[in-house]
Amino acid sequence: MLERYGHGGDLRTAEEAFDIPAQKFVDFSSNMNPFGPPPSVKEVLHHYTETIGQYPDPAVRGLRRKLAEKHDIDENSIVVGNGAAELIDLIVRALQPKLTTLAIPCFDEYGDAIRKTGGAIYEIKLSEHNHFTLHSNFEHLCEAAAAGSLFMLGSPNNPTGQLVDPELIHALLSRGAYVVVDEAFMDFVPDEAKYSLIHEATRNERLFVIRSMTKFYSVPGIRLGYIVGMPRTLSGLKRLQIPWSVNSLAQLIGEAVLDETEYAERTLSWLQDERTWLTSALQALGFEVNPSAANYLLVRIPRNAGLSASMLQLEMGKQGVLIRDASRFPGLDHTYIRIAIKLRTQNEQLLMALSKCLSIRR
Ligand SMILES: Cc1ncc(COP(=O)(O)O)c(C=O)c1O
């Protein structure tokens, strides 16, 4: 089981499981930008020995300033963290919700963070019949919105790829609920202004938006994310954060990549084309593909394939191709896998390995 430690992209576990060197895998199980880190990252690394002997800026001033410029918000509305994962944990510890509603399937860390604080979880199961959209559960979600309760929602949601309609968030907030929107993959959405709740989060003390910089800039090794909210509410969260949580390399890389406009444009245009192409190619093999606004696809294995997600993951792994067994997300059964969208030659490799698995079984 490749998700032994809870996530995709675990090359060491794959190496142990398949006896193939970690660097030889083509990894579709974690959702990184396939262009790899932008050129400025190399430049930062080249000069890093000059500053490694100093403590990082405990207030992350340079990066917060650049993020504030990017989003046109006040830098005091931003707290930077050691990956979005740290901020999910921190916001739950800061809010200490008695009751949290999750729309499943969703990212495992929401439930894990809540369980650690002893809070109760109310799960609303999204339906495959309407592509796992939250909007089709609008009434149900609003009914669950007791004053003071918390909602943790992904937009785009992992693993479904579906965006949350901001109207739904407004409806939950108007009923007195707290809402954390995890926008870890929002940079991949070209019309982000239509969907991101960052600006509202700077004005509403019950709304928080979490962003990750690790996926879009393909730097998961450095851990970098940020949370946006009202400065007053964020100060409680900062008190819970360990000092120097964001190391200086992460801060420097974060500042550098925000200038990479050509990289960002190339990524957005690649994704539009490649997502359409890969969706059609998977459908031609008999897979059902959930519509996605992100750089990954939730895919259903053909019914007549005689393969469960874990079996398919195993067969693909033997060929050096890693996919996510999505049945490990609560709310999905053994017919679901999740696949990152990569560059064309890698996607072709994925399709070849998938057809091979299907032909062995049929
Ligand atoms: C939906 C979602 N949120 C947050 C994270 C954590 O991101 P980071 O690498 O910034 O900690 C992930 C990582 O996979 C994710 O899928």
Side-chain angles (χ1 to χ4, degrees), residues 33-36 38-39 70 186-192 216-217 257-275 343:
N33 187 331
F35 289 116
K70 168 184 157 105
M186 190 58 91
D187 283 313
F188 289 98
V189 177
D191 46 353
E192 119 165 42
F216 191 78
Y217 296 106
V257 296
L258 287 173
D259 291 332
E260 294 274 6
T261 44
E262 193 272 328
Y263 176 91
E265 281 160 17
R266 186 153 48 102
T267 299
L268 292 179
S269 104
W270 148 79
L271 181 58
Q272 300 313 303
D273 294 347
E274 203 57 25
R275 188 170 50 211
L343 300 179

Side-chain angles (χ1 to χ4, degrees), residues 31-195:
N31 305 316
M32 295 308 139
N33 187 331
F35 289 116
S40 56
V41 171
K42 237 188 200 156
E43 196 60 26
V44 171
L45 287 170
H46 185 69
H47 294 289
Y48 187 55
T49 43
E50 293 157 25
T51 46
I52 195 167
Q54 300 153 11
Y55 270 99
D57 174 5
V60 198
R61 278 164 280 209
L63 178 53
R64 279 197 301 122
R65 203 167 304 129
K66 289 198 97 165
L67 287 168
E69 260 169 43
K70 168 184 157 105
H71 294 297
D72 194 19
I73 58 176
D74 188 311
E75 58 198 67
N76 293 316
S77 297
I78 302 171
V79 172
V80 182
N82 192 30
E86 185 201 13
L87 298 162
I88 291 169
D89 185 76
L90 266 186
I91 188 68
V92 173
R93 283 202 284 132
L95 297 177
Q96 295 280 331
K98 286 200 175 63
L99 176 67
T100 304
T101 301
L102 301 180
I104 59 164
C106 64
F107 187 47
D108 281 344
E109 294 298 321
Y110 310 154
D112 288 350
I114 295 153
R115 277 184 285 274
K116 276 192 250 170
T117 61
I121 297 176
Y122 176 59
E123 287 183 340
I124 293 183
K125 192 170 182 300
L126 302 171
S127 166
E128 61 199 29
H129 300 300
N130 39 44
H131 304 306
F132 303 99
T133 54
L134 262 85
H135 207 78
S136 50
N137 285 275
F138 197 99
E139 299 302 324
H140 194 172
L141 282 149
C142 287
E143 278 162 26
S149 70
L150 172 67
F151 285 74
M152 294 192 79
L153 304 170
S155 182
N157 187 35
N158 177 6
T160 63
Q162 288 286 336
L163 287 157
V164 178
D165 185 339
E167 278 311 306
L168 171 65
I169 309 293
H170 297 148
L172 299 176
L173 291 168
S174 72
R175 284 162 174 81
Y178 285 75
V179 184
V180 173
V181 186
D182 178 0
E183 297 187 355
F185 292 94
M186 190 58 91
D187 283 313
F188 289 98
V189 177
D191 46 353
E192 119 165 42
K194 210 165 126 193
Y195 294 99

